[in-house]
Amino acid sequence: MMLKPHRLGALLLALSALPAVPSAPAVAAPAAAPAAAPEGHTADQIGRFLVRFYGEHGPSDHDRRHHVSQVLLERQQTTAESDVLLCAQNEPQAIAIGPVTVAQAAGVGWATVTTHWGSDKTDTFTAYVRLDSRPIRIDDVICAG
C-alpha cells in the first residue's frame, strides 16, 4: 500500500463525496420492478375471516378446533368459567367486527369485536391474527374489561 500525503487524501475523500456527472448523454434507467406484495394476510382477508369465524353468535366447534392458536386452546382449557374467544359466559345475540388494522412490521392484524346482548348492552374485545398463519386463525384475544 502506498501512502499519500495528507492533503491529497483529504482531496480524494472530498471528491468521492460529490455526485458523479455522466460524460455521455444519460440513458433512461429501466423502470423499477413493481414492489412485491406484502407477505401474509391482508386487512380485507382478516376482516372476512373474522366475520365468518365469529358469525352471528360465536365460532363453530370446527372453527374452535381448526382456526385457533395453540395458546388460545390451552387458555380455554384452564378457563372453564368463560369462553376465551368471546370474553363471555353466554352466547351473544349478535356480533359485529370493526375495521381491521394490519401492522406488517409486527406481523399481526387485529380488529375490535363487539358482542351485543339484551337491553342494548354491548361489550368489546380485540381479536388478533398472525399475518403468516396457515391456515388463517385467531392468535390471541384480549378482553376489554
Side-chain angles (χ1 to χ4, degrees), residues 49-129:
F49 165 73
L50 290 173
V51 166
R52 186 194 57 72
F53 180 86
Y54 279 105
E56 287 294 317
H57 305 289
S60 68
D61 289 339
H62 176 269
D63 283 336
R64 289 175 181 277
R65 284 190 311 275
H66 300 288
H67 295 284
V68 175
S69 70
Q70 188 62 37
V71 170
L72 283 174
L73 290 172
E74 291 170 5
R75 189 182 306 161
Q76 185 62 67
Q77 289 176 347
T78 61
T79 311
E81 68 275 0
S82 70
D83 186 337
V84 299
L85 296 174
L86 292 169
C87 297
Q89 295 176 335
N90 302 314
E91 182 179 289
Q93 292 178 348
I95 299 175
I97 308 298
V100 174
T101 301
V102 171
Q104 288 288 338
V108 70
W110 65 89
T112 299
V113 179
T114 303
T115 50
H116 298 271
W117 307 90
S119 303
D120 293 330
K121 184 179 180 231
T122 62
D123 200 2
T124 61
F125 58 90
T126 306
Y128 294 87
V129 174

Side-chain angles (χ1 to χ4, degrees), residues 27-49:
V27 177
E39 291 186 31
H41 311 298
T42 65
D44 183 57
Q45 290 169 328
I46 292 169
R48 284 185 281 125
F49 165 73

